[in-house]
Amino acid sequence: MAQAANIQITAQNPVIELSISEEVNSRPDTATFSTGVETKAATATQALRDNSRQAKQVIDKLKSLGIAEDDIQTTGINLNADYQYDRKSETNRFVGYRVSNQVQVKVRDIDRLGMILDALVSSGGATNLNGPYFSINDDSALKQLARERALANGKKQAENYAKASGYSGVRILSIAEGIRTSAPGPMPSARMMAVANESVPVAPGQIGTTITLNISYEMTR
């Protein structure tokens, strides 16, 4: 069995503790959204059958638009009794059943995202749409760049403190890292966009990848 060892580094001189954050912005290359269908019928069996037929239509439409099968994932199938409020009796009246089927979709070519969303709502049979949420498929290079900038900035600041205190330089005692990614918020729902009867505009903007380093330096002579 492997065991982690706690190593305590003892400083002989004053210690500087800094928290340095660096952000690198980049255009996203991946978008994720959810879509699906909702159906109503007098019986649960009929509602489920109708929903299954329309959900297959949505999935087939996604595949015809170039979405890979591995990038389409069912996230929820819900069957619930459907009630309608009666104002005269002030009671909920049972009217049948409601079924919803939701899938999550990943688009790897966001230049086609607007066309895909429009096709789903206008001819693909989708009755709801949420998203998209933008991301970067592989942000390792961005993280490395932010990390290098944070290290350089931290060293520069620590050396300034050391020289101002009569020391010649610094050495690193410890480093702790935190990562945060910020992205634009989701677009309006498909029901709102379908009313406008226009092509869906998509502005992916940029995503910020932030590295925060908590670094301890010992001042050196």
Side-chain angles (χ1 to χ4, degrees):
M1 295 177 62
Q3 294 182 340
N6 293 321
I7 300 174
Q8 186 69 34
I9 300 176
T10 303
Q12 304 298 323
N13 299 309
V15 174
I16 305 167
E17 294 184 352
L18 297 177
S19 180
I20 308 295
S21 295
E22 287 291 335
E23 181 180 76
V24 177
N25 293 316
S26 180
R27 187 177 188 271
D29 57 13
T30 306
T32 304
F33 66 89
S34 63
T35 187
V37 294
E38 183 178 88
T39 56
K40 299 178 183 180
T43 66
T45 300
Q46 189 60 48
L48 187 59
R49 285 176 179 172
D50 292 345
N51 189 275
S52 298
R53 184 175 60 256
Q54 294 185 31
K56 184 178 184 301
Q57 179 183 347
V58 170
I59 293 174
D60 289 344
K61 185 65 176 181
L62 286 166
K63 292 179 180 178
S64 73
L65 292 168
I67 305 299
E69 186 173 353
D70 289 346
D71 290 333
I72 305 171
Q73 183 180 53
T74 299
T75 57
I77 300 175
N78 298 294
L79 169 66
N80 297 288
D82 191 20
Y83 294 90
Q84 196 173 66
Y85 183 71
D86 190 331
R87 292 185 178 181
K88 291 184 178 179
S89 63
E90 297 184 347
T91 58
N92 288 320
R93 181 171 59 89
F94 173 76
V95 294
Y97 291 88
R98 182 197 308 261
V99 177
S100 65
N101 187 321
Q102 294 294 120
V103 294
Q104 182 172 283
V105 184
K106 180 177 289 186
V107 179
R108 300 182 185 275
D109 182 0
I110 59 176
D111 291 334
R112 301 179 65 247
L113 179 59
M115 178 274 292
I116 292 171
L117 298 179
D118 183 70
L120 279 175
V121 176
S122 61
S123 62
T127 59
N128 62 77
L129 178 67
N130 292 286
Y133 298 89
F134 295 102
S135 61
I136 297 173
N137 187 50
D138 183 4
D139 62 352
S140 56
L142 300 175
K143 291 176 181 176
Q144 181 61 26
L145 179 58
R147 188 177 295 115
E148 291 172 357
R149 290 179 179 177
L151 281 170
N153 191 15
K155 182 179 180 181
K156 183 178 179 180
Q157 291 188 37
E159 287 176 343
N160 288 339
Y161 279 115
K163 291 177 182 179
S165 302
Y167 290 81
S168 60
V170 295
R171 73 181 183 102
I172 295 177
L173 297 177
S174 65
I175 302 176
E177 180 181 284
I179 300 174
R180 179 174 60 85
T181 301
S182 60
M187 291 176 62
S189 68
R191 287 171 181 156
M192 294 175 62
M193 293 187 292
V195 173
N197 195 26
E198 297 177 354
S199 297
V200 181
V202 176
Q206 289 195 324
I207 291 180
T209 300
T210 302
I211 293 286
T212 299
L213 300 181
N214 295 308
I215 312 176
S216 294
Y217 300 88
E218 180 188 7
M219 299 184 187
T220 58
R221 296 289 186 184

